[in-house]
Amino acid sequence: MTWLRRLGPVWCLALSVAAAFAAVWIQGRLYAACEPQTGPGPADGPYVWFFVIPATAVVVLAASSAGYILTMRARTPVSYLAPAVALVAACLVVWGAVAWNYDPDTMTEIWCNGGKPDWWPSWLPL
C-alpha cells in the first residue's frame, strides 16, 4: 500500500499534463471537423497556450489529487481504486473544459449536423 501512496503525486501530475493537452487536442479536432479552414483557427493561438492548457492542468491536478487523497483515506480495499478515481476526475475535467470552450453557434451546419461532428458520442453532451 505504501507504493500506492508514493505513486499519487506522480500519477496526478502526469494526469494533469496529459489531460491539458488532450483537452486542447479534442478542441482542435472539434473545430477542424466543423470549421474547415486554412491557417490558424480558433483552437490555436495565445488563448489556448497561455490560458486553456495551464487552467486545465491546474484544475485536473486539483480534482485528481482530491479524488486520489479521498480514496486513499478510505483505508479499505477501495483505496486501491485511487488511481482510477483520479483518472475519472481528470476525464470529467477534460470534458468540462472542451464543453466550456466549444461554441456551437460558430459551427457550420453544413459540416456539423447539429453543431457536433459525426465522431462525437451522441450520449455525451457538448
Side-chain angles (χ1 to χ4, degrees), residues 26-37 41-43 101-104 106-107 117 119:
I26 293 170
Q27 188 73 33
R29 294 253 337 225
L30 282 171
Y31 277 107
C34 294
E35 282 293 322
Q37 64 184 13
N101 284 311
Y102 183 72
D103 185 12
T106 63
M107 299 300 132
W119 54 265

Side-chain angles (χ1 to χ4, degrees), residues 47-61:
Y47 170 73
V48 170
W49 289 103
F50 297 117
F51 179 73
V52 174
I53 291 176
T56 305
V58 167
V59 173
V60 168
L61 184 60

Side-chain angles (χ1 to χ4, degrees), residues 1-8 68 72 80:
M1 183 86 115
T2 59
W3 66 270
L4 199 55
R5 291 191 194 279
R6 291 184 188 139
L7 175 72
Y68 197 94
M72 286 299 294
Y80 285 104

